[in-house]
Amino acid sequence: EAKSSGQGGVVAFSESLGNERRNRMALENELRDAIREKQFTLFYQPIFALGKSQSAGGLRGFEALIRWNHPDRGLLEPGRFMPAAEAGGLIVFIGDWVLRQACNAMARLHADLTAHGLKASELPYISINIAPQQFLQPTFSSHVQRVLLETGVPPELVRLEVTEGVAIIDPDQTRQVLEQVRCWGVKTSLDDFGTGYSSLSYLQNLPFDTLKIDRSFIASMDDPKSRKIIRAILDLASNLNLSVVAEGIETVEQGASLREMGCEFGQGYHLGRPLDEASAFALVWPEAAPPRK
Ligand code: C2E
Ligand code: MG
Ligand code: MG
Ligand code: MG
């Protein structure tokens, strides 16, 4: 056993694991601490109706995006740690926290607005990313129902975003979960559309409300081929009665072209970056209460 041969033995043993694997294991341990120590936080990126000016009621929703407030490395974006969380199965715990945190935040905003006589019907929705592993848990839909009840967030203000990865893993379960959460009034989005396999049969067979065009198509919009693909996606979505959100709008020109093509909704750095809760909710109502910790 490595330990009994002294420190040198431990090092040799560790080296035999390979750097990558050792790093991942260390990261997984840190992630466990992060859950315990409440080091995660949610940022919120606004989603706008492209036809309206931002100040004239164009704000339609927020996408909740996780960040890790790392004690030594600062604010980390999900690409730095979510792959490890998925590999180690911790994604289910982290995902539960995200769902609850986002619904709580929205319930709070809703309560603040209605208490001040503002129209809740004009509230933006909250869109929450759900990893395949989390979405395909047998208890997922009942868990969603419990969180809705416990937080008191109006279900029609909640959207769940999944990628087609769920359908590739288990199309039948995906369909069932989508139908269940829709029964409770929650809407669903197919995220990153156009990447991966994008089998059109998913669109035909799965009850999504919204399709999010992956930002790779928006980034390459100067290329006429990309614009043709975007047009085709918009056409398809319109025929299937799906609403469309374009992701990753970084320039005025991209926003204008998308609007011209009839794309109804968009998000991206040009329209608004992901913001902390207080800054994001101030877009809805400047006097919204700061988050209660
Ligand atoms: P996503 O769901 O496609 O989220 C959109 C990502 O694009 C976000 O990156 C956002 O910050 C970024 N983005 C938005 N506008 C622009 C733009 O104009 N230009 C560019 N270059 N990027 C833009 P982020 O926050 O780093 O998240 C990356 C991915 O991590 C997300 O992609 C999602 O797949 C995953 N993720 C984030 N939060 C969660 C979460 O709470 N749970 C799960 N399961 N996954 C999450
Ligand atoms: Mg997303
Ligand atoms: Mg996306
Ligand atoms: Mg993405």
Side-chain angles (χ1 to χ4, degrees):
E1 194 203 356
K3 211 174 170 186
S4 61
S5 56
Q7 208 186 346
V10 175
V11 171
F13 178 70
S14 296
E15 267 164 11
S16 74
L17 279 177
N19 264 329
E20 207 174 294
R21 179 141 173 247
R22 195 172 37 198
N23 287 343
R24 209 189 64 211
M25 283 171 64
L27 185 53
E28 278 173 29
N29 283 330
E30 277 193 276
L31 282 167
R32 274 177 236 279
D33 292 342
I35 296 172
R36 241 193 341 263
E37 310 281 333
K38 302 189 168 46
Q39 291 169 0
F40 293 111
T41 185
L42 290 183
F43 272 37
Y44 299 89
Q45 185 177 32
I47 297 168
F48 291 98
L50 293 176
K52 299 201 174 179
S53 77
Q54 292 175 30
S55 53
L59 179 65
R60 286 306 151 81
F62 290 106
E63 178 171 6
L65 297 162
I66 193 168
R67 300 288 180 262
W68 179 5
N69 224 325
H70 191 281
D72 311 317
R73 285 183 284 155
L75 203 63
L76 301 181
E77 299 199 338
R80 306 274 299 277
F81 60 89
M82 289 302 260
E86 289 187 28
L90 292 167
I91 185 69
V92 175
F93 296 99
I94 298 173
D96 279 355
W97 176 85
V98 170
L99 182 66
R100 194 168 284 276
Q101 181 79 3
C103 288
N104 258 323
M106 206 56 201
R108 221 155 40 219
L109 180 66
H110 178 256
D112 281 347
L113 291 178
T114 48
H116 287 80
L118 297 179
K119 264 190 271 174
S121 61
E122 283 164 21
L123 262 187
Y125 59 80
I126 184 81
S127 205
I128 305 167
N129 291 287
I130 308 291
Q133 257 177 291
Q134 183 189 5
F135 187 83
L136 294 172
Q137 292 257 304
T139 53
F140 178 72
S141 62
S142 57
H143 183 68
V144 171
Q145 189 179 34
R146 189 163 57 241
V147 172
L148 292 173
L149 290 170
E150 286 176 9
T151 61
V153 67
E156 62 274 16
L157 295 183
V158 178
R159 283 180 195 228
L160 302 180
E161 296 191 7
V162 292
T163 60
E164 64 184 2
V166 290
I168 293 169
I169 299 169
D170 191 340
D172 293 337
Q173 174 74 358
T174 296
R175 187 183 169 78
Q176 276 180 33
V177 177
L178 289 173
E179 281 171 356
Q180 278 161 352
V181 298
R182 283 178 116 221
C183 278
W184 305 325
V186 169
K187 292 205 163 78
T188 57
S189 302
L190 181 56
D191 202 358
D192 300 348
F193 185 76
T195 61
Y197 294 91
S198 299
S199 163
L200 297 181
S201 70
Y202 299 144
L203 287 184
Q204 187 185 8
N205 296 321
L206 298 174
F208 286 105
D209 300 283
T210 300
L211 189 155
K212 299 189 78 172
I213 305 180
D214 191 72
R215 76 175 147 86
S216 56
F217 295 104
I218 316 306
S220 59
M221 268 180 83
D222 283 345
D223 180 351
K225 275 189 195 155
S226 278
R227 283 205 301 281
K228 280 182 186 154
I229 291 172
I230 293 172
R231 272 186 220 282
I233 295 175
L234 290 170
D235 217 41
L236 185 68
S238 140
N239 288 326
L240 294 171
N241 274 320
L242 295 161
S243 74
V244 178
V245 178
E247 305 190 272
I249 300 175
E250 292 186 350
T251 67
V252 191
E253 292 77 21
Q254 289 167 350
S257 310
L258 284 161
R259 180 169 46 237
E260 206 172 282
M261 290 183 198
C263 181
E264 218 181 338
F265 306 102
Q267 70 187 97
Y269 294 164
H270 166 63
L271 302 169
R273 289 192 174 253
L275 301 165
D276 64 54
E277 182 180 322
S279 313
F281 287 0
L283 295 175
V284 186
W285 184 41
E287 290 144 84
R292 290 184 274 273
K293 293 278 154 84

